[in-house]
Amino acid sequence: MIEITEQFIKELNKYDMNIDEVEQQLVYFQKGTQKLDIQRPAVIADGILMIGDESANYYKSLYEEALETLKVGKFVPASGAASRMFKLLFNYLENEEVTPEIEKFAENFEKFAFSKPVEDYLQLHGIELKGSDRENLKTIVEVLLDNQGIGYGATPKALIDFHLYADEIRKAVDEQLAEAASYAVNDDGSCHIHFTISEAHETRFRTYLNAVIDKYEKRYGVRYRISWSFQHRNTDTIAVDKEFRPVKTNRGKLLFRPGGHGALLPNLQDLNDDIIFIKNIDNVQVESIQKRASEHKKILGGKLMELRKASHAYLRSLDEGVDVNLKSEIIDFAREQLNLDVSDNIDENELHKLLNRPLRVCGMVKNEGEPGGGPFWVKQNGKVSLQIVEKAQIDFSDPDQEKAVDQSTHFNPVDIVCSLKNYKGESFDLNDFIERDWSFVSEKSYNGQSILALEHPGLWNGSMAYWNTVFVQVPLETFSPVKTVLDLIKPAHQA
């Protein structure tokens, strides 16, 4: 149990938390990361739709028609710093070991969009590259990462130079603006993008956007409506030691940590758009590839509109009362279109509840060895549903679970379009659809001490566990994340 002191209560108040919330977090710590009961992988024709060319045109038209009456927005998690992206360069500065990855970085340096700012910095400060290539490389990396130079080691990934064009350099945030203009423009010409950013980077973020918005509005003929928010402090989680005792800072205060991307659910809740696309800040391409990828966003949006329209019509019918035949039709829709585990004798109130939930259509790409989550059929509370499952949630000691992973064919690129309003036009309370037991517990280090950290159920995992979910295959070219700096020399990032 936690010792309740006046100081403890004061610290909780700063985070808008109460003792019940903290005690619940301690329960999740003791449970650890829950392993899921995977039934089988979602594959083509069993959980993943494959939309052909003829149907693709139909869904694109459905989406474009919807924009005449509905509002669309884009939600982009963008709070992370790029330090992890440059990890191999930090390692190089620490030990000066020239690994094959470092050699690849050096050999391709001129292909990186940030090579030009580095060269400009060297010239401006009269720094001449002398000596061996290895000595020059160290100077270049120091200028790139150090706060006395370009400072990319502590820059948010959104503001890193990603793409080098003939006449301009674009950062990740630039490409998000360009991409949104190709598929997420409202009937009045407005283009709403909401970024979740770190409070520490707000000034830099605002300053940069103010400098480039006018250029992109003129180029694409749109009017951007940019908004941003920070991760709410009350979504932070307490850190504990191996005996589940709260960890204190050097100043004797409780140690709280950010609660992972699942903590962004309140930020998503605050949006008022009818259709919302979700995409990570680093999953962008150069414009020539981006245009093709945007076509698939419209297809996903059209599929969402088809399901949304049918769900809303059936919900209104259930309000008025349905006969046996219509009820059977609704059950078939729930099973075949929404992948719901529904019995023939379900009562109408329960059927209404199942249909009246947030709806998401998620793009899935063929798995080519990328780390991260994937689509599976999961049994929970006696029912089987489609879920995006992370590796940490899988019990690899169970042969059946390992077999299901080996047979999986697709990967989650975080390419989601969703509807967060019910058939009456009211926003759902997204907290009602979380599987809270799907929190993540991981081991971290603080001041040389091994501690345990808690993350809320992932934004597209447990936080959306009880959403109605449809998976659609999208081309691999739509997925071009930048997890390490070397990803930037892949074709998707070379203009």
Side-chain angles (χ1 to χ4, degrees):
M1 293 293 293
I2 301 174
E3 181 184 357
I4 309 300
T5 64
E6 185 177 343
Q7 180 62 29
F8 184 87
I9 298 299
K10 283 183 179 179
E11 291 180 51
L12 289 187
N13 288 339
K14 289 181 183 178
Y15 285 83
D16 295 325
M17 290 183 187
N18 58 51
I19 189 64
D20 292 338
E21 290 177 85
V22 174
E23 289 185 337
Q24 185 59 60
Q25 289 179 16
L26 292 178
V27 170
Y28 294 137
F29 273 119
Q30 293 176 46
K31 286 183 177 180
T33 302
Q34 297 296 290
K35 304 302 181 183
L36 305 189
D37 185 4
I38 294 173
Q39 302 297 293
R40 62 190 187 277
V43 296
I44 297 295
D46 183 24
I48 300 179
L49 296 174
M50 186 159 63
I51 296 176
D53 292 342
E54 189 172 328
S55 296
N57 291 328
Y58 165 72
Y59 286 121
K60 281 190 280 188
S61 66
L62 271 187
Y63 173 68
E64 288 163 357
E65 287 171 14
L67 293 185
E68 296 174 6
T69 55
L70 299 177
K71 293 297 182 184
V72 62
K74 185 177 179 183
F75 182 80
V76 183
S79 57
S83 52
R84 198 175 303 176
M85 170 183 165
F86 292 115
K87 183 178 179 181
L88 71 93
L89 298 183
F90 279 113
N91 289 343
Y92 165 71
L93 289 181
E94 185 176 342
N95 55 40
E96 296 192 33
E97 180 184 357
V98 181
T99 63
E101 290 80 10
I102 290 296
E103 288 183 352
K104 189 173 183 179
F105 173 82
E107 291 168 2
N108 293 276
F109 182 68
E110 291 185 356
K111 293 182 180 180
F112 292 102
F114 50 68
S115 63
K116 184 68 167 61
V118 169
E119 290 167 1
D120 290 344
Y121 180 92
L122 293 171
Q123 184 175 359
L124 179 65
H125 291 80
I127 302 173
E128 295 184 25
L129 298 180
K130 299 178 180 179
S132 67
D133 291 341
R134 181 170 177 173
E135 290 172 328
N136 288 337
L137 177 60
K138 184 179 180 182
T139 300
I140 287 171
V141 173
E142 286 175 339
V143 168
L144 176 66
L145 299 181
D146 195 87
N147 286 335
Q148 300 302 313
I150 304 299
Y152 272 8
T155 295
K157 195 179 283 188
L159 299 180
I160 298 292
D161 291 330
F162 264 36
H163 299 153
L164 179 62
Y165 292 86
D167 55 353
E168 66 180 342
I169 293 173
R170 290 193 194 175
K171 301 180 186 295
V173 68
D174 291 281
E175 297 294 21
Q176 292 285 354
L177 296 177
E179 184 197 90
S182 66
Y183 67 84
V185 181
N186 288 290
D187 193 49
D188 62 359
S190 66
C191 188
H192 177 211
I193 312 177
H194 184 89
F195 297 92
T196 59
I197 64 173
S198 166
E199 200 166 354
H201 297 137
E202 182 185 15
T203 300
R204 291 182 65 183
F205 191 78
R206 181 195 292 114
T207 300
Y208 184 76
L209 282 174
N210 286 341
V212 300
I213 285 293
D214 187 58
K215 174 180 72 173
Y216 290 117
E217 286 188 335
K218 290 177 179 177
R219 182 177 298 179
Y220 299 117
V222 301
R223 178 171 48 82
Y224 287 105
R225 185 165 60 90
I226 306 297
S227 60
W228 58 82
S229 59
F230 316 122
Q231 186 170 307
H232 297 199
R233 287 196 71 185
N234 63 4
T235 63
D236 286 359
T237 57
I238 198 166
V240 300
D241 62 20
K242 293 296 185 66
E243 283 73 43
F244 308 115
R245 296 173 302 200
V247 175
K248 299 287 186 71
T249 67
N250 293 334
R251 296 184 176 182
K253 296 184 177 182
L254 291 172
L255 176 63
F256 285 91
R257 294 176 53 87
H261 58 69
L264 299 179
L265 193 68
N267 306 68
L268 183 63
Q269 175 79 71
D270 290 342
L271 301 188
N272 194 42
D273 298 304
D274 301 293
I275 310 165
I276 299 173
F277 289 87
I278 302 176
K279 190 177 187 184
N280 283 333
I281 186 66
D282 65 341
N283 184 16
V284 290
Q285 304 88 21
V286 292
E287 192 158 336
S288 58
I289 299 175
Q290 185 185 107
K291 289 178 180 178
R292 298 197 296 274
S294 294
E295 292 298 297
H296 291 279
K297 297 288 189 298
K298 295 179 182 179
I299 295 170
L300 296 181
K303 185 63 183 177
L304 179 80
M305 291 300 98
E306 179 185 63
L307 296 170
R308 181 181 185 274
K309 181 179 180 180
S311 295
H312 289 185
Y314 285 137
L315 284 163
R316 294 187 187 98
S317 296
L318 286 166
D319 281 345
E320 298 167 1
V322 295
D323 59 24
V324 174
N325 291 333
L326 183 53
K327 181 180 177 182
S328 178
E329 180 183 319
I330 298 173
I331 289 173
D332 287 343
F333 170 77
R335 287 174 179 161
E336 297 169 12
Q337 299 296 317
L338 297 181
N339 306 295
L340 295 173
D341 189 352
V342 182
S343 65
D344 289 328
N345 59 359
I346 186 173
D347 68 55
E348 292 174 16
N349 287 334
E350 188 62 27
L351 186 57
H352 191 285
K353 288 180 183 178
L354 286 177
L355 262 61
N356 194 29
R357 304 198 292 191
L359 176 64
R360 61 175 177 166
V361 176
C362 310
M364 292 291 157
V365 296
K366 287 185 177 179
N367 197 339
E368 295 197 348
E370 292 281 354
F376 292 88
W377 292 95
V378 174
K379 191 171 186 179
Q380 53 182 139
N381 303 323
K383 296 288 186 180
V384 177
S385 63
L386 280 178
Q387 301 290 340
I388 295 170
V389 179
E390 299 296 330
K391 293 281 177 65
Q393 297 173 295
I394 300 171
D395 183 2
F396 285 97
S397 67
D398 184 330
D400 290 334
Q401 302 290 288
E402 186 175 19
K403 181 180 179 182
V405 174
D406 291 341
Q407 293 175 339
S408 65
T409 57
H410 286 70
F411 172 81
N412 167 44
V414 189
D415 192 355
I416 302 171
V417 58
C418 51
S419 171
L420 308 185
K421 294 182 179 179
N422 65 20
Y423 66 111
K424 296 179 180 180
E426 304 161 334
S427 294
F428 288 106
D429 184 345
L430 301 184
N431 287 309
D432 293 340
F433 305 93
I434 303 172
E435 178 49 81
R436 298 187 183 278
D437 281 345
W438 291 4
S439 299
F440 293 91
V441 176
S442 57
E443 190 170 332
K444 302 289 184 180
S445 177
Y446 178 74
N447 284 347
Q449 174 189 3
S450 182
I451 65 171
L452 297 179
L454 179 71
E455 292 187 8
H456 296 285
L459 184 59
W460 38 85
N461 311 115
S463 286
M464 297 181 177
Y466 296 104
W467 291 31
N468 287 334
T469 297
V470 172
F471 294 148
V472 175
Q473 178 173 286
V474 294
L476 189 59
E477 68 180 352
T478 64
F479 180 57
S480 308
V482 179
K483 301 306 179 188
T484 81
V485 64
L486 295 181
D487 286 330
L488 287 173
I489 58 175
K490 291 180 177 179
H493 299 288
Q494 293 294 304

